[in-house]
Amino acid sequence: MTNASGCRIAPTDGTTPGTSPLLSSDPPSSGAALVAVCLGFFMILLDGSALNVALPSIEHDVHGSISALQWVVNIYTIPLASVLLTAGSLADRWGARRLFLSSLATFTFASLLCALSPTLGLLVAARFLQGVAAGCLLPTTLAIIARTYPDQLERARAITVWGAIGGVALVVGPIAGGFLTDLCGWRSIFAINVPVGLITVFLAHRHARETPRRDARPDLPGQLTVIVALSAAVAYLIEGAPLGWAAPLPLALLTASVLSVAAFVAAETRTSCPMLPLAVFRRAAFTASITNGFVFQFGGYGLQFMLAIYIQRQWGVSPLRTGVYFLPFGIAWVFGTIVLNRRLVALGPRTLLWAGATVSFAGTLLLLGVQGRDTWLPFTVGTVLAGLGCGIFAPSLNAAALMSIDPAYVGLGSGILNTARQIGMAMGVALLGSLIGMRDALFGLRVGAVLVAVCFLAIVVLSLCYVPGRRSGGSPAGDTAAPGTRCAKDSGRPVSGAGDCCATLE
């Protein structure tokens, strides 16, 4: 059915008009479905963390530059960030299981293309396809878990397993990437995705349950303008350093980004079904939480990229040795997430955010003492503290954002947060990578470390000033109930997805 503005309204039973409810028969194995979802999630996270230590080998093999390496990373991150919000709408229309399977198959095929790419251009094109597939796959994982585990307690346990997989990928990635690169070459990092992907497709096809489908109109103008805006902004940061920030091409890219942002705002303001309802940012607590997500990914993941390039180039260590250097960082991050965050969660997200970010800030300042190979101690201590702090506060980013938005729109809030985080990662790799590519790499490293420290300090300040404390009753402490997102001229029934027909926040 439609409302007066032409928005489609989803039926309350989770089906589209004219269709029958999905069969509710149990899958042969809910455990196998969870394994499939976690394997898919693990693949797209491992791909990024493992690739960082292999980048100098790729540079040597395909005769690329530092900017080329940044594109190898960011041509994956940009489409991933750009399609996250729309992917939720696609999952609503097609079913999360169907989108998961098609995205996973595409990711596996793109991984094969990456492994076989004879030139840098083909590698970048294959990485772009990987990024699109990963962006469509990521939002489906939790939807399939929710469908597979209707019991709230079992679902919470399954989501805990899913979240722990991210930490495992962070630890395993650098070591596995370095080992595979030294043993079989950098192409093996992509090739290993092929058998794992095929096994995952088989498990998901046989055991995962389809989710209810409903009509959710995509916002194509918003999607296209955000892709252009993000791509042009990242290209400006990557190409500005080698060509000059005021050179014609970088200035053209910056102009294109600014104009695309303006076009995106205009498109989202005028459409009755925006991909990103801009009114959610009227709330200071939510805006601060989204900003925290952006600067966290900018600093936390941009730092890994910068340090991995620096120690291989300046210290002359192998990819495997680089992975070993990063092992304490990954272990500290996982320890902070699985042990400290879970034990301190009762303190509330605001406390965990400022406390964890303070630890990361201190660790990043220690990295200012890194120079040659003999400064491995400040490198290790600094990265351990940075990783430990990120592990403490990173899980609270979601909680802080979702406490600051109406409970009916947690899907929208989560989608916006994850999009901001991926954009932050792309920007961090672009800018920090440009700094490490300067003639004076040590000076670039120190400038980059200062920028990362500022990011963590910003999280401390924003969290103390704007993030709500522990939930009191039904709304965040110190704030009023969040406004709801409603279809224009509708009777008031809320909608749930990021790509839903949402026009205004009242």
Side-chain angles (χ1 to χ4, degrees), residues 434-483:
S434 296
L435 292 173
I436 209 68
M438 298 171 62
R439 288 185 179 181
D440 189 345
L442 178 59
F443 176 75
L445 175 67
R446 288 175 174 171
V447 173
V450 169
L451 287 177
V452 173
V454 170
C455 287
F456 291 131
L457 184 60
I459 295 174
V460 174
V461 174
L462 289 173
S463 300
L464 288 173
C465 293
Y466 297 106
V467 173
R470 284 175 287 182
R471 186 180 295 271
S472 176
S475 61
D479 211 341
T480 56

Side-chain angles (χ1 to χ4, degrees), residues 105-199:
T106 303
F107 186 90
T108 303
F109 175 69
S111 297
L112 179 61
L113 292 180
C114 288
L116 299 176
S117 296
T119 65
L120 181 62
L122 290 177
L123 175 61
V124 168
R127 285 284 288 169
F128 176 83
L129 184 60
Q130 264 194 322
V132 173
C136 290
L137 185 150
L138 185 58
T140 66
T141 54
L142 288 176
I144 293 176
I145 289 176
R147 176 66 168 162
T148 305
Y149 295 92
D151 179 78
Q152 290 188 2
L153 179 59
E154 292 183 354
R155 182 185 303 172
R157 290 171 177 167
I159 291 176
T160 299
V161 173
W162 173 88
I165 290 297
V168 173
L170 186 68
V171 174
V172 172
I175 295 293
F179 176 78
L180 289 172
T181 301
D182 277 357
L183 184 67
C184 306
W186 61 266
R187 298 178 187 275
S188 59
I189 293 177
F190 299 108
I192 200 171
N193 285 337
V194 177
V196 176
L198 293 175
I199 293 171

Side-chain angles (χ1 to χ4, degrees), residues 310-311 314-317 325 367-379 442 445-446:
Y310 180 83
I311 66 174
Q314 305 301 317
W315 293 8
V317 299
Y325 274 118
L367 293 174
L368 292 172
V370 172
Q371 297 183 37
R373 196 168 179 175
D374 58 337
T375 57
W376 61 268
L377 184 58
F379 176 92
L442 178 59
L445 175 67
R446 288 175 174 171

Side-chain angles (χ1 to χ4, degrees), residues 248-276:
L249 179 58
L251 282 180
L253 291 169
L254 180 61
T255 302
S257 178
V258 172
L259 293 177
S260 297
V261 169
F264 173 77
V265 172
E268 298 304 278
T269 302
R270 295 176 182 177
T271 183
S272 59
C273 303
M275 178 179 72
L276 177 59

